[in-house]
Amino acid sequence: MQRIIHIPILRQIDDIIETIKEARLSDKPIQFIVTKDIQIIDDMVSNPRLVSQVDRFIPKPPLGQKLTGSSSALQYSLGFQSNPTDAGWQLGSEISVPKPTLFVLNLFNTENNSADYQSLFSELKKFVLVYSGAVRSQILNSKTHLPEEQFPAILKSSIIVLCSQVPELPSGIVLYSKIIRVKTPNGENFRYLIRQLIKAYDGVDVQAQGQKYEEYQREMERHLRGLSQTKIEQIFAIIKNRLQKVYFDDYGSEDQSHRKEVKEIIQREKQSFIESSDLLKLVDCDNAPQPAGLNNLVKWLLNNKKKITCYNEEHQLRAASMPKGILMSGIPGSGKSMTARYVANLLDLPLLKLDFGDLLDKWQGNSEHRMQAALDAAIEMAPCVLWVDEIEKAFSGANSNNEAPSKRMISKFLTWMQDKEREEASCFVFATANSIIGMPPELFRSGRFDAKFYTFLPSYADCVEIFKQTLTYQNAAFTKLNPDKELFNVEELVNEFQRMLVSDVVLRDKVPNISKETKPDAKIYTKETSANRFFTGSDITTLIEVSKDLCYLEHPHPEITRKDNKGVSHTYVYDTAAYKIALRKALDQIKTYGETNLRDCAETFSQICYTNFMPAAKPILHTDSTCYDELRFKQGAADITQRENRVYDMGEYVKELEQGNEYDKQMYYLIRNSINNNIREFKIRRERR
């Protein structure tokens, strides 16, 4: 069994030591080293450049025991007295440290209400009192004009505090402290680590391998970038134990079997890392189907897939910018969650779900710490897709004076979205929102996301496609377990659903067609009704499930064998004629989103028009200014049927709609009328965000 091999990265250690020395010279004797790699601290503390003039000292019984060799940093009460002595530091009542000393501590819990935090900062406050007293006691030499140190042992001593996150520093400590972030291996440091690990495990000098090694290096960098050094070393040890070597030169071959095995090992280790945390959830997205109808979004993803998944190579080839992500807004049930799974499946990346509600904590400051920990974990999983679901719930309180934690979490998240490019980790954000009302305007500014899409009530064609796709998917899953049976006769049921969409059972209260030759009546033009049953994708899925239950209750053993047009026999679990009847009965038992929330749909659309969102599917309603323009509306206008007084009109799309189907036309008319009738209310709500 191969043990883990540790490779000190000398350049990284030298950079940290130089930063520590600069902090000492600027009277900042406390250095917080932010990292999860304790081994890096051991490498640094044992380096003679850091400890050549001072001794490492950790007060652990018996008091005064010196550390020898490499040892993990420990946390222990320093027991500082409040006043300096001529002998140096006075620890407790018996032990004194008569020469400059480097104290190495570990802050395990950075939450300011924790016992670790309170205990450590109580000792650090004593340290600051002693240190500041020694500074003030210096005397200026009248001849040399240089300060004469009364307590050199104190002034040349310092404390290194190892912590996994940046702690909230009390005001009395912050002036004497320096925050030093240890970056995960990147650039030349990463390449050096990989070369040395290969040499240590396989005995191969890969610098002489040429193009084959360059391909291997790019692949490993893509999958391991963002992970800590210790995690990378653990993964290489696992690869060695399972595959007997770590470097494979089949990255240019057609088979690439070892490449796939290495990738699977890395992904499993990343998954175990996420599963051990309560901050993020790893979502299974294998074989996630393409959402029906969202063709514009799918096209955008296919065009940008290489840039998202192979950012480093694309950046080198054409200076491509770091992919940021997508913001997708739309009404509930329009396929946003399904799309998140499809995006991760299409990009072949792990899908992490971030729920802002899981990060909230009753203690002040803890919510922000949990947010930072979650974002750090996402960086370590890169390349990945970070799914922020219903982002408006976290951001809706941004404008309230009573939501200080939410504001700080928002600020941290937005800053991270800008700064993750400097981390060189491709963490693709997929944020969804049911409504953008109440969300801060800075979220929509140019450059925050790569693209902003909206989903709406699906059109007639999209409804049919969703219905067909759902039946086909259920058929395939059922037939896989029961090869001699099928659930549905998909073709006949799709035809029935098409007829039902334009029938009176769905369109129960139509708006009459408006011709150009006749001036429309104001009552007709402004008619607003919720009687028509406009579907979302979720409504269609519910309709199918309720129909299955009704059909089974009336026909508990309905299996019927039928021949298709080609003479092939099919055994269907649900009789087609009975299921058609069940569809119409089920429609009376459910409430579609178009019935219950038509005005919400109109309000959502009116918001989208002002935030430069693109349609994820072919739109029935267009957001350009030729159709939607508040400037046309005159306050107090008597006749809203006149074009100059209308807010929303069919404009140049009238021909396309008139030649289309009744379902799309009725949806257009009623959404338009709802916007016109409630524009004052919609406008006020938008201005409040």
Side-chain angles (χ1 to χ4, degrees):
M1 180 69 68
Q2 176 66 55
R3 303 293 297 175
I4 294 175
I5 297 176
H6 173 63
I7 306 294
I9 304 177
L10 300 180
R11 178 184 293 183
Q12 183 184 47
I13 295 171
D14 289 343
D15 290 343
I16 297 172
I17 291 174
E18 285 301 318
T19 306
I20 290 175
K21 288 184 174 181
E22 290 177 3
R24 286 177 180 170
L25 293 174
S26 59
D27 270 345
K28 294 184 177 181
I30 306 174
Q31 295 97 41
F32 289 88
I33 311 295
V34 183
T35 180
K36 297 178 182 178
D37 278 340
I38 295 179
Q39 187 61 53
I40 292 178
I41 301 300
D42 286 335
D43 294 339
M44 180 186 66
V45 173
S46 61
N47 191 297
R49 290 185 57 205
L50 184 65
V51 296
S52 58
Q53 301 298 324
V54 295
D55 293 329
R56 287 173 294 145
F57 184 90
I58 300 177
K60 184 177 178 64
L63 287 173
Q65 178 180 357
K66 298 288 179 68
L67 290 178
T68 57
S70 177
S71 175
S72 296
L74 305 173
Q75 178 178 352
Y76 198 83
S77 175
L78 294 177
F80 288 128
Q81 297 294 310
S82 58
N83 297 309
T85 67
D86 292 337
W89 292 113
Q90 184 73 29
L91 301 178
S93 58
E94 301 177 358
I95 304 300
S96 63
V97 184
K99 57 182 178 180
T101 304
L102 176 66
F103 300 92
V104 182
L105 305 177
N106 194 333
L107 179 58
F108 293 102
N109 193 339
T110 58
E111 297 178 356
N112 58 13
N113 64 301
S114 67
D116 290 340
Y117 179 96
Q118 299 293 339
S119 176
L120 176 68
F121 280 97
S122 175
E123 297 299 323
L124 291 183
K125 287 178 182 178
K126 297 177 184 178
F127 177 94
V128 168
L129 287 173
V130 176
Y131 183 87
S132 60
V135 171
R136 291 194 300 272
S137 68
Q138 295 179 107
I139 301 173
L140 192 65
N141 188 300
S142 59
K143 293 182 179 180
T144 63
H145 300 288
L146 295 175
E148 293 181 353
E149 297 174 346
Q150 300 297 306
F151 304 101
I154 296 175
L155 293 175
K156 292 181 180 178
S157 296
S158 60
I159 296 179
I160 288 177
V161 183
L162 172 65
C163 49
S164 59
Q165 294 183 51
V166 177
E168 185 176 345
L169 303 182
S171 57
I173 303 295
V174 67
L175 290 177
Y176 295 92
S177 302
K178 173 73 174 180
I179 303 294
I180 303 173
R181 295 178 182 269
V182 179
K183 293 185 177 181
T184 56
N186 57 31
E188 184 53 40
N189 287 341
F190 181 89
R191 291 186 282 273
Y192 171 82
L193 176 63
I194 298 300
R195 289 196 301 268
Q196 294 303 314
L197 286 171
I198 293 173
K199 189 174 183 179
Y201 282 116
D202 294 352
V204 177
D205 184 4
V206 292
Q207 287 185 309
Q209 297 295 311
Q211 181 64 33
K212 290 183 178 181
Y213 170 67
E214 290 181 6
E215 178 68 20
Y216 169 89
Q217 176 183 279
R218 284 196 296 269
E219 187 78 6
M220 296 302 287
E221 191 169 5
R222 183 184 308 153
H223 294 303
L224 296 175
R225 180 178 292 276
L227 292 178
S228 65
Q229 180 180 343
T230 299
K231 191 65 180 177
I232 293 173
E233 291 168 348
Q234 291 173 348
I235 288 174
F236 265 76
I238 294 172
I239 295 173
K240 175 68 174 180
N241 286 321
R242 294 186 183 177
L243 305 180
Q244 283 69 56
K245 56 188 299 189
V246 297
Y247 172 64
F248 302 94
D249 57 5
D250 68 341
Y251 275 61
S253 66
E254 294 183 0
D255 180 27
Q256 297 183 350
S257 58
H258 291 109
R259 176 181 184 176
K260 295 176 182 177
E261 290 184 70
V262 169
K263 180 182 176 182
E264 289 175 0
I265 291 173
I266 295 173
Q267 291 301 325
R268 281 198 296 269
E269 287 303 302
K270 286 185 172 183
Q271 289 173 7
S272 65
F273 168 74
I274 291 298
E275 289 169 356
S276 64
S277 169
D278 64 340
L279 303 174
L280 295 172
K281 296 181 178 65
L282 189 67
V283 180
D284 182 16
C285 57
D286 291 340
N287 303 317
Q290 176 180 329
L294 305 183
N295 297 329
N296 292 345
L297 173 62
V298 172
K299 183 178 179 181
W300 186 93
L301 287 168
L302 292 174
N303 291 338
N304 290 273
K305 179 179 179 180
K306 187 175 181 181
K307 175 183 173 181
I308 297 170
T309 57
C310 306
Y311 162 69
N312 295 321
E313 294 92 321
E314 289 295 294
H315 180 71
Q316 293 175 4
L317 288 174
R318 57 187 181 91
S321 59
M322 171 71 73
K324 298 177 179 64
I326 291 174
L327 174 61
M328 191 171 182
S329 178
I331 61 175
S334 55
K336 298 185 294 298
S337 298
M338 181 188 296
T339 304
R341 294 178 173 85
Y342 170 74
V343 168
N345 185 52
L346 175 68
L347 299 177
D348 193 22
L349 295 175
L351 178 62
L352 308 179
K353 185 177 181 180
L354 173 64
D355 190 331
F356 280 85
D358 292 342
L359 304 180
L360 293 174
D361 193 280
K362 64 179 180 179
W363 299 104
Q364 183 178 358
N366 287 2
S367 298
E368 297 90 307
H369 280 288
R370 289 173 63 81
M371 167 67 83
Q372 186 62 55
L375 297 178
D376 289 344
I379 289 292
E380 291 195 33
M381 279 291 288
C384 65
V385 176
L386 180 64
W387 174 21
V388 185
D389 195 24
E390 297 186 357
I391 193 173
E392 77 277 8
K393 290 184 178 179
F395 284 56
S396 59
N399 295 324
S400 172
N401 294 328
N402 297 324
E403 295 290 341
S406 295
K407 290 181 179 179
R408 290 194 291 268
M409 290 177 69
I410 292 168
S411 177
K412 191 174 288 292
F413 180 76
L414 296 180
T415 301
W416 174 82
M417 287 194 66
Q418 296 297 116
D419 292 347
K420 67 187 178 75
E421 184 166 358
R422 288 197 288 269
E423 297 285 345
E424 297 185 2
S426 181
C427 185
F428 190 74
V429 177
F430 187 87
T432 64
N434 291 330
S435 173
I436 59 177
I437 299 171
M439 295 173 64
E442 56 266 26
L443 189 66
F444 307 119
R445 73 170 178 80
S446 179
R448 188 72 73 186
F449 290 92
D450 295 315
K452 301 190 291 289
F453 288 93
Y454 74 86
T455 57
F456 200 63
L457 291 169
S459 65
Y460 169 84
D462 290 341
C463 285
V464 173
E465 182 61 29
I466 293 170
F467 185 85
K468 179 180 180 180
Q469 187 183 83
T470 304
L471 294 185
T472 303
Y473 180 81
Q474 292 191 12
N475 249 6
F478 184 81
T479 304
K480 190 175 182 179
L481 300 175
N482 305 274
D484 58 335
K485 298 178 184 178
E486 297 175 59
L487 285 176
F488 313 103
N489 184 334
V490 175
E491 184 177 354
E492 286 196 29
L493 292 181
V494 169
N495 291 336
E496 175 64 18
F497 185 69
Q498 286 178 304
R499 290 189 291 268
M500 191 171 72
L501 282 179
V502 293
S503 68
D504 292 340
V505 297
V506 171
L507 304 178
R508 297 181 296 180
D509 190 4
K510 297 180 183 178
V511 176
N513 289 339
I514 302 169
S515 64
K516 289 186 177 181
E517 290 74 19
T518 60
K519 183 177 179 180
D521 187 285
K523 292 182 180 179
I524 297 176
Y525 191 90
T526 59
K527 181 178 181 179
E528 186 178 9
T529 175
S530 295
N532 295 307
R533 293 162 164 169
F534 299 121
F535 291 90
T536 64
S538 179
D539 292 333
I540 294 173
T541 302
T542 302
L543 178 70
I544 291 173
E545 294 303 317
V546 173
S547 300
K548 285 163 61 177
D549 293 340
L550 291 174
C551 189
Y552 184 79
L553 288 173
E554 296 184 9
H555 303 274
H557 303 289
E559 292 183 7
I560 296 178
T561 302
R562 294 282 188 270
K563 289 185 178 181
D564 60 19
N565 296 333
K566 297 180 181 180
V568 180
S569 296
H570 297 269
T571 300
Y572 300 113
V573 172
Y574 294 100
D575 177 62
T576 304
Y579 195 86
K580 288 179 180 179
I581 297 172
L583 274 174
R584 296 180 179 257
K585 289 183 178 180
L587 192 59
D588 291 329
Q589 293 190 13
I590 67 173
K591 284 286 186 180
T592 67
Y593 196 79
E595 291 179 86
T596 59
N597 296 80
L598 183 67
R599 186 169 294 184
D600 291 340
C601 292
E603 184 174 9
T604 298
F605 186 77
S606 70
Q607 294 289 333
I608 287 170
C609 291
Y610 280 82
T611 47
N612 198 29
F613 278 67
M614 298 183 293
K618 183 180 179 181
I620 298 175
L621 297 99
H622 297 260
T623 59
D624 59 53
S625 59
T626 61
C627 286
Y628 185 81
D629 187 0
E630 286 184 7
L631 295 178
R632 294 178 184 167
F633 184 75
K634 295 181 179 179
Q635 197 77 350
D639 190 0
I640 201 170
T641 62
Q642 296 180 8
R643 181 176 179 81
E644 63 270 16
N645 294 332
R646 294 199 296 267
V647 181
Y648 197 95
D649 196 13
M650 288 162 51
E652 61 186 85
Y653 306 104
V654 60
K655 293 182 180 179
E656 182 180 342
L657 277 171
E658 290 296 342
Q659 294 172 0
N661 59 81
E662 195 64 29
Y663 184 88
D664 289 349
K665 283 191 288 187
Q666 291 300 318
M667 185 193 302
Y668 181 93
Y669 290 147
L670 291 172
I671 295 296
R672 176 203 65 188
N673 293 353
S674 182
I675 293 175
N676 283 333
N677 293 340
N678 302 284
I679 188 59
R680 294 183 183 87
E681 180 184 349
F682 294 169
K683 188 175 181 181
I684 290 171
R685 289 189 184 181
R686 183 176 67 246
E687 290 173 348
R688 285 177 178 172
R689 69 178 177 89

